[in-house]
C-alpha cells in the first residue's frame, strides 16, 4: 500500500483527500470528492480514504463500488417505492373480499377490473410482495446498506479520531463558514472559549490553535440505524421458516373441544361460550351514527375459552388426558398466550346451520297432517332417508352455502351457512318420485330485514324455516316438504401464531429509532480558531443545521472585535 | 353530553377563525421595510400569539370531544383530518420558535384551515368503535403519525415558499407550469370543499339504485348527479337528470358517486382558479411572488430539510413501529401489506430517499423543494385516495 505523508508529518492511507490530522488537501487526490472544481471543500467523510473511491481494478472492487454508491442506494429505494405502490392498485390476493364474484384470482381480477385486472394478474402483481423480484430488490437494498456503511464508517471513524486542532490554512479558508480578523486580544479569545464551553463545546488546543467540537456521536447515527435495518431484514428472512414463524387458523364451535393446530397435539381449546355484544341503537352518544349506517354495529366479540395441555401418553392409544392450563376471554386486541403460542380472536359465525328437521305434507291439505318427518345432520348429511311410514327421501343435490348467480346455483363455501336441498321423494311402495327444492333460509331471513351476521337466529329456529321456499319445479307434485325446525351453532374463528422472530424485530426497530434520533436530533458542530499574525481565522462546519451553528458562533463572539463568519456558499 | 359536544364544535370553529385572523396579521409582517421594524415585530408576535390561542382552543375541542365520545377523536375521517390540521399548526409553532420566520405562518395556517374545512365535509357524528379499533395502541399510533405528518407538512410549506420565491416567472417554462399545477390542485381541493358545503347546507340528496357484484345497492348523491352509477336508476323524483353513466369498470360501491364528486370538484376548482387568475392577470405563482421578495432562500431551504429531519423519526415511530405493534395486538400480524400500510412504507421510502439525496451536493435548494412538494402529495394520497378509493382495513369513510 502506498502511504501519503503530509507536510504536518502525519502518514495517511492511500486515497486520502484531506490529511486526517491537519486537513490539508492532498494535491493528487482532489478530483475524488470534486474539490478541484469548487472553492469549498467537500467535508462529507472528512476527505478520508474510502475503499470505493480508492480502488477500481478487480471485479470485486467494481461490485463493492456499485453497492457503496449512495446513488445506487437511492435508486434501489425508489424502485422499491414504486413497486410497493403498484401492488396497491388492486387488492392483493389475500384481500379479495369474501363477497367477490369468485375468490379464484384467475377469475376475480379480470371479472372485477377488466383488462387492467387481467394484466395485473398475469404479471403476478396479485402476490407482489412475496414475488421473487420484490424480495431481491429488498435484499439488494440490504446489501447496499451494509457495503455503503462499511465503506464509510471505518475511515470516518479514524479521521475523526486523528484530527488535530492545528489545521492547515487552506483547510480553514475553504470551509463554508469563514472569517478573518486582523487584531484579536487574548482576553477576547478567552471570552470566546469561555462562551463556547458554556454552550457545551469540547475544546482542544495546540499551539494556540483551537477546535471546539460538540455532538460528534451524532455522526454515528446513520450507521446505528442501518444496523437496525439489517437486523430487521434478517428477522424477515428467518420468518420464512416454520420453526421461527407459525400461523394457523381454527374454527371451534360452542361447547366443542379441539386440538390447537400447529402444536403437535400438545394443546387443546374448549369454546365454553362465544359472546357478541352490539351497540344499543338508542345509545345516546352513537344513535345518530348508528341510524345513518342503518345496521347493528358490534362492539365486542369474544371467546370464553379453556386451554388444555395434553399429558404425555404412557400407553399408546389410551385416551389423552387433558390438564387445564388457563381459562381466559379471547377478544379483539386481547389475545391469549400460552406456551409460546398466541391465539387471536379473528372472526365468528353466529348462524351456522347444524341440524334441520323436515316434515312431509300432502299438497293443499287444509288440516296439515304430518305424513313423515326426518332430520338432516348438516355436518354429516346422508344421501337417503327412509321414513317409518314407507316414505323414502333421496338427497339429489345439497348446497351447504347456497347462492344463485347468473351462472346458476352453486355453493359459495363448503360450510353449512345457508343450506339448500333438492330432494327426490318416493311415496310408500312407489317407484315414481317427485322433486322438490327446499332451503335458502338466509335469503328469506334477509328478506325480512334481519342481518344474520349480527343477529342470532337460534331463538327463531322453529319458525324461521316456514319462511323458506319449498319449490315444486314441475307443478305436479302431490306432496310438500317443509322445514320444521333448525338448530344453529355459533363458532369462533381464531388464529394461532407462534412468532420467534418478534424479539429480533423489536431489537431492530429499537436500534433503528435510536440511530435516527441520534443522527437527526443532534448535529456534529465544529469551530476552528486559527491564529495568524495578531489576528485569527475563524471557520465552522456542521453536518446539518447551519442555522444553529451560526447562532452558536454569534453568541460566542458577541461584543468582541472578531468578525462574524460569512457563508461562503453564497459567494 | 350535548353541551360537551356543543362546546367542542364551538371551540373548533373558534380555532378556525383565530387561524384566519392570524394569517391576516402574518401578512403584515412580510413587507419588512427597515423603517417599520418595530411594527412588523409587533405584528409577528401578535400573530403567533393568536395562533397559539387558536391551537389551544382546538385542543379543547379535542379534549371535550374525547370526553363526550369516550374514545380519542381520531377514529373517522372528520376527526382524523381535523387532528392532522391541528398537528400542522403545532409543528408550525415549534418550527416558528426555532427560526422565527413569519412568512411560514402565511402559508402554514391557510393549509391547516383547508384541512379543517375539508374534514367538516365528512359526517361529524360520533361513531361507535368496531372491536378492532378498541386499543390504546391505535390512539398512540394515529396521533404519532399525525404529528409526524404535520412536521413533514412544514417542509412542504417551506418548499412551496422556496419555489414561488425562486422560480423565474418572466418566461413560461416547465417549472412555472409545474408550480402552477401544484397551486391549481390546491384550488381543486378548495373547490371540493366549497361545492360540498354549498349543497350540504341545502341538504341536497338524490338516490340511485344500481347493481354491484350481483347485489342491488343504493347510492346517496349529495351533489347533483352529472355522472350516474353504471346502470343506475334515479329514485329521487325532482333531482337533476344525469348527463351520462360512468363506464362499466367503475363498479365498486359508490363508484359513480365518487366520480361525480370528482367532476364537481374539478368544475368548481377550475372556475375559482380562472376567476383568481383573471383578477391577477398573471400566473398565480407570479402574483404571489412579489410578496416574498424578502425571503432568504437559504434559510427556507434549511427549514425544508430540518422539518424532514425532525419529522422523519416521528413518522417512522408512529406510521411503522406503533402501527406494527397495534396490528400485532389486533390481528397477530404486525405487517400485512394492506394498502394503507404499504403507502406508509412508500412515504417512508420517499423521505429516506430525500435524506440520502441531501447528502450529495446537487440536491439542495430547488430540487429539495420539489421533493418536499412530492412528499406532501404522497401523504395526501394516502389520506384521500387510499382511504376513499383503495380502502383497506383502515378505511374510515
Ligand atoms: C430504506 C432504507 C434506508 C433507510 C431508512 C436509511 C436511513 C438513513 C438515514 C435516516 C440516514 C441519515 C441521513 C442524515 O443524517 O441526513 C442515512 C444515512 C446514510 N445512508 Fe441510509 N438508509 C437506507 C438505505 C441506505 C442504502 C441502501 C444505502 C447505500 C447506498 C445507504 C447509505 C447511507 C449513507 C452513506 C448515509 C450517510 C452516512 C453519513 O452521513 O455518514 N442507506 N440513512
Amino acid at each position: 500500500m502506498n502511504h501519503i505523508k503530509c507536510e504536518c508529518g502525519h502518514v495517511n492511507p492511500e486515497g486520502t483527500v484531506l490529511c486526517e490530522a491537519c486537513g490539508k488537501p492532498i494535491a493528487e487526490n482532489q478530483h475524488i470528492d470534486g474539490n478541484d472544481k469548487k472553492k469549498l471543500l467537500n467535508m462529507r467523510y472528512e476527505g478520508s480514504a474510502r475503499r470505493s473511491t480508492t480502488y477500481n481494478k478487480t471485479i470485486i472492487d467494481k461490485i463493492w463500488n456499485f453497492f457503496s454508491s449512495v446513488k445506487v442506494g437511492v435508486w434501489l429505494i425508489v424502485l422499491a417505492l414504486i413497486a410497493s405502490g403498484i401492488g396497491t392498485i388492486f387488492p392483493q390476493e389475500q384481500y379479495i373480499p369474501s363477497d367477490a364474484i369468485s375468490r379464484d384470482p384467475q377469475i376475480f381480477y379480470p371479472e372485477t377490473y377488466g383488462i387492467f385486472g387481467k394484466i395485473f394478474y398475469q404479471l403476478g402483481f396479485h402476490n407482489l410482495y412475496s414475488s421473487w423480484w420484490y424480495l431481491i430488490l429488498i435484499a439488494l437494498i440490504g446489501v447496499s446498506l451494509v457495503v455503503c456503511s462499511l465503506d464509510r464508517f471505518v475511515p470516518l471513524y479514524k479521521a475523526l479520531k486523528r484530527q488535530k486542532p492545528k489545521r492547515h490554512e487552506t483547510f480553514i479558508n475553504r470551509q463554508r463558514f469563514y472569517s478573518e480578523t486582523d487584531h484579536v486580544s487574548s482576553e477576547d479569545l478567552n471570552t470566546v472559549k469561555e462562551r463556547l464551553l458554556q454552550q457545551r463545546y469540547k475544546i482542544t488546543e495546540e499551539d494556540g490553535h483551537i477546535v471546539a467540537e460538540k455532538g460528534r456521536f451524532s455522526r454515528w447515527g446513520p450507521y446505528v440505524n442501518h444496523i437496525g435495518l439489517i437486523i430487521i431484514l434478517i428477522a424477515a428472512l428467518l420468518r420464512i421458516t416454520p420453526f421461527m414463524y407459525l400461523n394457523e387458523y381454527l374454527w371451534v364451535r360452542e361447547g366443542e373441544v379441539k386440538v390447537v393446530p400447529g402444536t403437535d397435539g400438545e394443546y387443546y381449546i374448549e369454546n365454553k361460550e362465544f359472546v357478541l355484544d352490539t351497540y344499543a341503537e338508542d345509545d345516546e352518544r352513537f344513535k345518530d351514527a348508528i341510524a345513518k349506517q342503518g345496521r347493528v354495529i358490534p362492539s365486542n366479540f369474544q371467546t370464553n375459552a379453556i386451554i388444555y395441555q395434553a399429558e404425555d401418553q404412557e400407553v399408546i392409544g389410551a385416551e389423552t388426558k387433558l390438564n387445564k392450563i388457563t381459562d381466559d376471554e379471547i377478544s379483539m386486541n386481547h389475545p391469549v398466550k400460552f406456551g409460546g403460542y398466541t391465539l387471536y380472536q379473528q372472526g365468528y359465525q353466529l348462524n351456522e346451520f347444524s341440524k334441520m328437521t323436515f316434515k312431509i305434507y300432502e299438497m293443499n291439505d287444509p288440516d296439515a297432517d304430518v305424513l313423515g318427518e326426518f332430520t338432516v345432520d348438516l355436518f354429516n348429511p346422508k344421501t337417503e332417508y327412509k321414513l317409518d311410514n314407507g316414505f323414502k327421501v333421496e338427497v339429489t343435490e345439497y348446497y351447504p352455502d347456497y347462492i344463485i348467480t347468473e351462472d346458476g346455483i352453486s355453493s359459495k363455501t363448503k360450510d353449512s351457512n345457508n343450506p339448500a336441498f333438492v330432494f327426490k321423494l318416493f311415496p310408500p311402495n312407489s317407484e315414481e318420485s317427485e322433486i322438490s327444492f327446499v332451503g335458502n333460509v338466509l335469503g328469506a331471513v334477509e328478506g325480512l330485514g334481519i342481518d344474520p351476521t349480527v343477529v342470532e337466529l337460534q331463538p327463531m329456529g322453529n319458525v324461521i324455516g316456514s319462511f323458506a321456499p319449498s319449490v315444486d319445479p314441475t307443478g305436479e307434485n302431490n306432496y310438500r316438504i317443509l322445514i320444521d325446525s333448525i338448530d344453529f351453532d355459533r363458532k369462533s374463528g381464531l388464529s394461532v401464531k407462534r412468532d420467534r422472530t418478534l424479539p429480533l424485530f423489536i431489537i431492530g426497530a429499537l436500534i433503528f429509532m435510536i440511530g435516527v434520533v441520534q443522527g437527526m436530533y443532534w448535529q456534529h458542530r465544529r469551530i476552528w480558531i486559527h491564529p495568524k499574525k495578531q489576528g485569527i481565522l475563524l471557520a465552522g462546519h456542521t453536518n446539518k443545521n447551519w442555522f444553529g451553528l451560526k447562532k452558536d458562533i454569534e453568541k460566542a463572539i458577541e461584543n468582541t472585535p472578531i468578525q462574524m463568519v460569512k457563508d461562503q456558499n453564497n459567494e | 353530553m350535548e353541551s360537551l359536544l356543543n362546546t367542542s364544535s364551538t371551540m373548533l370553529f373558534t380555532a378556525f377563525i383565530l387561524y384566519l385572523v392570524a394569517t391576516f396579521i402574518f401578512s403584515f409582517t412580510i413587507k419588512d421595510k427597515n423603517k417599520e421594524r418595530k411594527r412588523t415585530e409587533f405584528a409577528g408576535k401578535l400573530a403567533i400569539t393568536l395562533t397559539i390561542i387558536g391551537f389551544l382552543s382546538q385542543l379543547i375541542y379535542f379534549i371535550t370531544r374525547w370526553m363526550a365520545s369516550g374514545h380519542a377523536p381520531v377514529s373517522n375521517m372528520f376527526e382524523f383530518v381535523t387532528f392532522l390540521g391541528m398537528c400542522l399548526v403545532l409543528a408550525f409553532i415549534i418550527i416558528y420558535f426555532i427560526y422565527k420566520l413569519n412568512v411560514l405562518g402565511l402559508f402554514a395556517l391557510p393549509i391547516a384551515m383547508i384541512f379543517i374545512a375539508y374534514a367538516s365535509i365528512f359526517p361529524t357524528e360520533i361513531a361507535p368503535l368496531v372491536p378492532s379499533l378498541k386499543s390504546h395502541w391505535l390512539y398512540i399510533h394515529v396521533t404519532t403519525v399525525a404529528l409526524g405528518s404535520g412536521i413533514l407538512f412544514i417542509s412542504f410549506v417551506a418548499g412551496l415558499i422556496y419555489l414561488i420565491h425562486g422560480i423565474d416567472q418572466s418566461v413560461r417554462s416547465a417549472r412555472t407550469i409545474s408550480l402552477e399545477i401544484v397551486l391549481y390542485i390546491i384550488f381543486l381541493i378548495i373547490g371540493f370543499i366549497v361545492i360540498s358545503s354549498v349543497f350540504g347546507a341545502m341538504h341536497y340528496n338524490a338516490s340511485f339504485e344500481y347493481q354491484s357484484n350481483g347485489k342491488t345497492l343504493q347510492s346517496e348523491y349529495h351533489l347533483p348527479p352529472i355522472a350516474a352509477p353504471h346502470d343506475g336508476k334515479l329514485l329521487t323524483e325532482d333531482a337533476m337528470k344525469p348527463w351520462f353513466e360512468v363506464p362499466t369498470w367503475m363498479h365498486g360501491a359508490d363508484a359513480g358517486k365518487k366520480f361525480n364528486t370528482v367532476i364537481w370538484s374539478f368544475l368548481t376548482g377550475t372556475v375559482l382558479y380562472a376567476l383568481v387568475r383573471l383578477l391577477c392577470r398573471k400566473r398565480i405563482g407570479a402574483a404571489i411572488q412579489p410578496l416574498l421578495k424578502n425571503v432568504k432562500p437559504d434559510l427556507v431551504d434549511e427549514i425544508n430539510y430540518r422539518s424532514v429531519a425532525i419529522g422523519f423519526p416521528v413518522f417512522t415511530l408512529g406510521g411503522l413501529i406503533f402501527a406494527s405493534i397495534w396490528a400485532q395486538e389486533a390481528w397477530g400480524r404486525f405487517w400485512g401489506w394492506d394498502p394503507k400500510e404499504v403507502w406508509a412504507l412508500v412515504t417512508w421510502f420517499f423521505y429516506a430517499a430525500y435524506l440520502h439525496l441531501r447528502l450529495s451536493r446537487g440536491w439542495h435548494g430547488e430540487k429539495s423543494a420539489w421533493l418536499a412538494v412530492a412528499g406532501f402529495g404522497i401523504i395526501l394520497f394516502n389520506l384521500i385516495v387510499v382511504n376513499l378509493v383503495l380502502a383497506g382495513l383502515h378505511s374510515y369513510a
Side-chain angles (χ1 to χ4, degrees):
Chain A
M1 248 215 277
N2 301 322
H3 291 278
I4 305 166
K5 190 164 178 186
C6 176
E7 66 179 43
C8 72
H10 183 75
V11 179
N12 292 291
E14 184 185 356
T16 303
V17 182
L18 306 173
C19 169
E20 289 175 334
C22 76
K24 180 176 186 241
I26 287 158
E28 67 267 28
N29 285 342
Q30 290 313 295
H31 58 284
I32 292 179
D33 281 344
N35 291 336
D36 48 347
K37 298 199 188 70
K38 299 256 174 145
K39 173 165 190 218
L40 297 187
L41 293 177
N42 184 348
M43 290 289 288
R44 274 234 55 86
Y45 305 101
E46 306 289 306
S48 60
R50 280 150 285 151
R51 191 187 196 289
S52 61
T53 51
T54 310
Y55 305 105
N56 193 14
K57 292 209 188 68
T58 66
I59 182 97
I60 295 193
D61 293 343
K62 295 223 156 78
I63 294 174
W64 181 273
N65 296 356
F66 177 78
F67 284 115
S68 73
S69 151
V70 174
K71 213 177 189 176
V72 169
V74 170
W75 267 113
L76 291 174
I77 293 175
V78 170
L79 286 177
L81 179 165
I82 294 170
S84 307
I86 289 175
T88 62
I89 297 176
F90 301 129
Q92 291 290 297
E93 185 174 3
Q94 84 228 46
Y95 288 116
I96 296 177
S98 53
D99 61 354
I101 299 176
S102 161
R103 300 205 65 170
D104 178 357
Q106 201 173 346
I107 301 168
F108 171 75
Y109 290 99
E111 284 290 309
T112 318
Y113 305 107
I115 180 76
F116 299 110
K118 193 167 179 174
I119 297 172
F120 191 82
Y121 169 71
Q122 280 173 350
L123 291 176
F125 289 173
H126 62 300
N127 271 324
L128 189 144
Y129 305 107
S130 50
S131 67
W132 58 269
W133 59 271
Y134 189 79
L135 296 180
I136 288 181
L137 199 54
I138 301 294
L140 287 179
I141 291 181
V143 173
S144 174
L145 210 72
V146 173
V147 173
C148 205
S149 302
L150 285 178
D151 187 60
R152 289 159 169 84
F153 174 74
V154 179
L156 177 68
Y157 180 80
K158 286 187 185 150
L160 282 175
K161 218 172 103 180
R162 291 180 185 152
Q163 63 169 333
K164 292 204 179 122
K166 192 169 177 179
R167 290 288 169 142
H168 197 269
E169 193 175 324
T170 49
F171 176 87
I172 299 287
N173 63 27
R174 290 177 73 186
Q175 292 299 322
R176 179 170 160 187
F177 278 2
Y178 173 70
S179 76
E180 299 166 22
T181 315
D182 291 338
H183 291 277
V184 180
S185 68
S186 54
E187 288 93 84
D188 284 335
L189 268 183
N190 281 335
T191 325
V192 172
K193 274 194 276 179
E194 197 60 31
R195 289 187 186 146
L196 285 172
L197 280 173
Q198 270 167 17
Q199 299 185 52
R200 277 180 277 139
Y201 277 84
K202 232 178 81 192
I203 294 189
T204 337
E205 279 189 72
E206 182 188 358
D207 301 341
H209 295 255
I210 298 171
V211 60
E213 183 178 14
K214 78 173 174 191
R216 190 198 286 182
F217 82 104
S218 84
R219 290 293 283 273
W220 318 133
Y223 308 102
V224 174
N225 87 45
H226 288 165
I227 291 174
L229 289 175
I230 292 296
I231 295 178
I232 290 173
L233 286 179
I234 292 175
L237 214 73
L238 290 176
R239 208 157 179 270
I240 298 169
T241 63
F243 173 75
M244 297 302 276
Y245 179 69
L246 175 133
N247 181 13
E248 300 275 354
Y249 201 88
L250 123 119
W251 284 104
V252 49
R253 299 194 177 89
E254 246 177 358
E256 205 177 18
V257 180
K258 257 192 161 170
V259 63
V260 179
T263 64
D264 290 333
E266 190 180 353
Y267 293 98
Y268 285 74
I269 178 170
E270 176 178 351
N271 178 352
K272 271 196 308 187
E273 190 189 7
F274 178 79
V275 181
L276 175 76
D277 302 318
T278 54
Y279 287 99
E281 268 166 64
D282 53 0
D283 185 304
E284 202 198 337
R285 286 174 297 173
F286 305 133
K287 58 177 189 268
D288 295 346
I290 293 174
K292 203 169 209 169
Q293 294 218 8
R295 61 190 179 87
V296 183
I297 301 173
S299 66
N300 175 42
F301 52 97
Q302 72 179 45
T303 311
N304 297 344
I306 304 177
I307 311 290
Y308 300 97
Q309 187 167 24
E311 225 167 67
D312 276 343
Q313 280 176 330
E314 281 157 28
V315 190
I316 294 175
E319 192 142 308
T320 333
K321 192 158 178 293
L322 298 178
N323 297 322
K324 175 168 156 181
I325 52 171
T326 54
D327 188 338
D328 209 341
E329 295 170 357
I330 313 171
S331 66
M332 264 280 168
N333 288 307
H334 292 284
V336 59
K337 299 183 179 159
F338 55 90
Y341 299 92
T342 314
L343 283 182
Y344 294 87
Q345 183 72 56
Q346 294 267 333
Y348 58 86
Q349 190 179 349
L350 287 183
N351 299 304
E352 188 188 33
F353 292 67
S354 62
K355 266 191 206 141
M356 283 169 107
T357 302
F358 298 88
K359 283 185 175 162
I360 301 170
Y361 303 90
E362 198 154 332
M363 194 65 87
N364 304 326
D365 173 10
D367 302 332
D369 287 329
V370 180
L371 304 179
E373 177 181 329
F374 63 100
T375 297
V376 179
D377 176 355
L378 295 161
F379 304 138
N380 192 11
K382 290 193 270 188
T383 51
E384 201 178 277
Y385 295 88
K386 284 207 169 84
L387 313 192
D388 296 342
N389 52 3
F391 279 95
K392 193 176 82 177
V393 180
E394 242 180 63
V395 179
T396 33
E397 297 285 352
Y398 168 42
Y399 306 99
D401 196 354
Y402 169 86
I403 184 170
I404 182 158
T405 60
E406 289 157 11
D407 307 330
I409 300 174
S410 58
S411 186
K412 234 188 333 185
T413 63
K414 290 192 190 66
D415 301 326
S416 55
N417 296 333
N418 185 24
F421 297 88
V422 176
F423 291 125
K424 216 185 230 180
L425 180 71
F426 293 86
N429 309 322
S430 168
E431 292 298 310
E432 300 275 300
S433 64
E434 46 182 74
I435 299 238
S436 17
F437 169 89
V438 192
N440 188 22
V441 177
L442 279 201
V445 165
E446 279 165 5
L448 295 173
I450 300 170
D451 180 355
T453 58
V454 282
V455 176
E456 293 197 39
L457 303 178
Q458 182 69 59
M460 306 175 226
N462 286 335
V463 281
I464 202 94
S466 56
F467 291 98
S470 172
V471 181
D472 167 11
T474 55
E476 294 170 359
N477 286 1
N478 295 320
Y479 301 96
R480 273 148 71 82
I481 303 179
L482 294 181
I483 301 172
D484 183 61
S485 66
I486 308 170
D487 280 352
F488 293 95
D489 251 321
R490 297 160 10 123
K491 61 179 181 179
S492 169
L494 300 165
S495 67
V496 186
K497 309 255 174 169
R498 186 190 59 199
D499 192 344
R500 295 191 163 124
T501 62
L502 277 184
L504 260 179
F505 277 105
I506 294 170
I507 291 170
L510 200 71
I511 295 180
F512 177 80
M513 276 318 295
I514 292 173
V516 264
V517 168
Q518 178 180 348
M520 296 296 179
Y521 293 176
W522 278 269
Q523 302 93 32
H524 183 211
R525 303 176 192 189
R526 272 172 297 172
I527 299 165
W528 291 278
I529 299 175
H530 185 95
K532 189 174 179 191
K533 296 179 192 145
Q534 276 103 52
I536 60 160
L537 308 180
L538 183 67
H541 178 77
T542 177
N543 59 339
K544 50 178 67 105
N545 192 4
W546 292 87
F547 181 81
L549 178 64
K550 197 162 161 187
K551 283 186 129 179
D552 284 356
I553 299 178
E554 266 167 6
K555 256 196 232 158
I557 64 173
E558 212 179 348
N559 299 323
T560 69
I562 300 174
Q563 290 289 316
M564 182 54 198
V565 292
K566 280 212 211 61
D567 189 343
Q568 304 202 83
N569 215 9
N570 294 338
E571 285 171 4
Chain B
M1 225 308 280
E2 282 300 316
S3 73
L4 266 182
L5 265 187
N6 283 339
T7 317
S8 174
S9 39
T10 313
M11 290 323 276
L12 183 60
F13 186 68
T14 313
F16 188 86
I17 299 297
L18 283 169
Y19 297 153
L20 187 66
V21 177
T23 310
F24 189 65
I25 299 176
F26 268 127
S27 71
F28 285 107
T29 62
I30 53 174
K31 296 213 191 74
D32 206 342
K33 291 198 196 93
N34 270 342
K35 275 179 286 172
E36 297 171 355
R37 248 272 140 68
K38 277 257 155 55
R39 245 201 284 168
T40 30
E41 252 171 42
F42 175 72
K45 281 205 179 108
L46 181 62
I48 191 70
T49 311
L50 287 175
T51 310
I52 293 172
I53 299 175
F55 176 76
L56 291 178
S57 21
Q58 201 174 350
L59 199 62
I60 297 176
Y61 141 81
F62 188 78
I63 295 168
T64 43
R65 192 174 168 95
W66 189 330
M67 287 158 65
S69 68
H71 59 253
V74 286
S75 64
N76 61 27
M77 209 51 184
F78 163 72
E79 294 174 340
F80 181 69
V81 176
T82 311
F83 185 68
L84 206 53
M86 180 164 136
C87 288
L88 173 57
V89 175
L90 177 62
F92 161 66
I93 294 172
I94 294 171
I95 301 282
Y96 183 88
F97 279 101
I98 302 179
Y99 291 99
K100 299 273 166 34
L101 191 66
N102 289 318
V103 68
L104 280 183
L106 197 56
F107 285 77
L109 291 180
I111 293 174
M113 281 152 53
I114 292 179
F115 271 107
I116 297 172
Y118 175 73
S120 66
I121 302 301
F122 294 92
T124 57
E125 295 93 4
I126 292 179
L129 289 184
V130 295
S132 65
L133 298 184
K134 288 184 169 174
S135 160
H136 292 299
W137 281 110
L138 172 69
Y139 304 154
I140 297 171
H141 151 59
V142 175
T143 47
T144 323
V145 175
L147 184 62
S149 307
I151 302 171
L152 293 172
F153 289 169
I154 298 293
S155 85
F156 162 72
V157 171
L160 195 61
I161 294 174
Y162 190 98
L163 294 174
I164 297 178
H165 167 268
I167 286 182
D168 178 7
Q169 292 281 0
S170 61
V171 283
R172 207 165 110 145
S173 65
R175 294 144 81 218
T176 58
I177 294 171
S178 314
L179 178 61
E180 216 48 23
I181 291 174
V182 172
L183 296 170
Y184 172 64
I185 292 172
I186 297 179
F187 273 92
L188 294 187
I189 297 174
I190 296 175
F192 167 74
I193 297 169
V194 167
I195 200 70
S196 310
S197 317
V198 168
F199 282 100
M202 291 160 53
H203 296 290
Y204 186 91
N205 194 39
S207 307
F208 279 93
E209 203 175 78
Y210 64 103
Q211 305 290 323
S212 172
N213 278 349
K215 285 199 201 97
T216 306
L217 298 176
Q218 262 200 29
S219 211
E220 305 293 334
Y221 279 49
H222 301 302
L223 291 170
I226 295 176
H230 186 70
D231 271 341
K233 207 173 90 204
L234 186 58
L235 302 177
T236 314
E237 287 188 351
D238 50 355
M240 184 177 108
K241 289 271 161 305
W243 300 358
F244 65 93
E245 285 185 358
V246 298
T248 7
W249 54 269
M250 283 197 190
H251 57 183
D254 277 341
K257 173 183 169 178
K258 286 170 183 167
F259 189 63
N260 191 54
T261 308
V262 170
I263 296 175
W264 273 105
S265 310
F266 261 96
L267 289 178
T268 324
T270 309
V271 169
L272 286 176
Y273 177 83
L275 280 178
V276 175
R277 184 118 187 215
L278 275 177
L279 276 176
C280 305
R281 298 181 172 279
K282 50 179 124 173
R283 282 187 288 273
I284 312 282
I288 311 177
Q289 194 171 40
L291 298 178
L292 303 181
K293 256 198 331 278
N294 293 312
V295 164
K296 296 198 203 86
D298 261 13
L299 183 62
V300 178
D301 179 52
E302 170 130 358
I303 294 176
N304 173 357
Y305 177 45
R306 210 52 210 296
S307 15
V308 177
I310 299 175
F312 182 74
V314 180
F315 183 85
T316 310
L317 191 66
L320 299 173
I321 299 181
F322 289 158
S324 304
I325 297 176
W326 170 49
Q328 180 70 23
E329 284 291 299
W331 297 290
R333 55 144 194 78
F334 54 88
W335 192 261
W337 300 107
D338 166 66
K340 196 85 197 177
E341 289 171 344
V342 173
W343 278 91
L345 182 72
V346 168
T347 311
W348 185 73
F349 274 149
F350 180 84
Y351 282 102
Y354 172 106
L355 287 172
H356 286 92
L357 287 171
R358 286 291 302 210
L359 297 174
S360 46
R361 267 177 172 167
W363 281 85
H364 294 218
E366 191 177 323
K367 282 189 187 160
S368 282
W370 284 116
L371 287 180
V373 172
F376 183 68
I378 292 179
I379 299 181
L380 284 201
F381 184 88
N382 201 359
L383 180 68
I384 300 174
V385 182
V386 177
N387 266 350
L388 304 182
V389 184
L390 303 179
L393 298 167
H394 294 61
S395 174
Y396 283 136

